[in-house]
Amino acid sequence: MKYLGRKMSTATLMIMAGLACLATIPIHPGPLRVVFAMIGKFAITASFDNIYVHTAEIFSTPIRSGPTPRRVRNDR
């Protein structure tokens, strides 16, 4: 994130997650399929964390402390 910025790193992680998850379709069940699935899960989780931090930096304090962060926090 330090070198690419939030937008570029989030986009890269989302593309990587999509490609890794799509790569699991033609692969026969086995260890390679699990590796690609785990890469996809890691990338989508990292992109969600980027979006969560980016949102906290964009919005002001009264908006951040509204009902949406509480709902997200309770859903986790």
Side-chain angles (χ1 to χ4, degrees), residues 52-75:
Y52 198 71
V53 169
H54 188 75
T55 303
E57 291 175 351
I58 289 176
F59 296 114
S60 61
T61 303
I63 295 173
R64 279 195 323 246
S65 63
T68 301
R70 279 186 234 128
R71 184 172 52 238
V72 170
R73 187 176 49 237
N74 291 338
D75 289 345

Side-chain angles (χ1 to χ4, degrees), residues 4-72:
L4 292 177
R6 299 215 192 280
K7 290 181 186 178
M8 184 61 101
S9 63
T10 302
T12 304
L13 285 167
M14 285 189 165
I15 290 169
M16 186 171 77
L19 292 175
C21 288
L22 286 175
T24 61
I25 295 170
I27 298 173
H28 295 291
L32 187 60
R33 190 175 198 175
V34 173
V35 167
F36 276 108
M38 290 298 113
I39 290 171
K41 286 179 74 171
F42 163 76
I44 202 67
T45 302
S47 69
F48 176 76
D49 288 342
N50 276 354
I51 292 170
Y52 198 71
V53 169
H54 188 75
T55 303
E57 291 175 351
I58 289 176
F59 296 114
S60 61
T61 303
I63 295 173
R64 279 195 323 246
S65 63
T68 301
R70 279 186 234 128
R71 184 172 52 238
V72 170

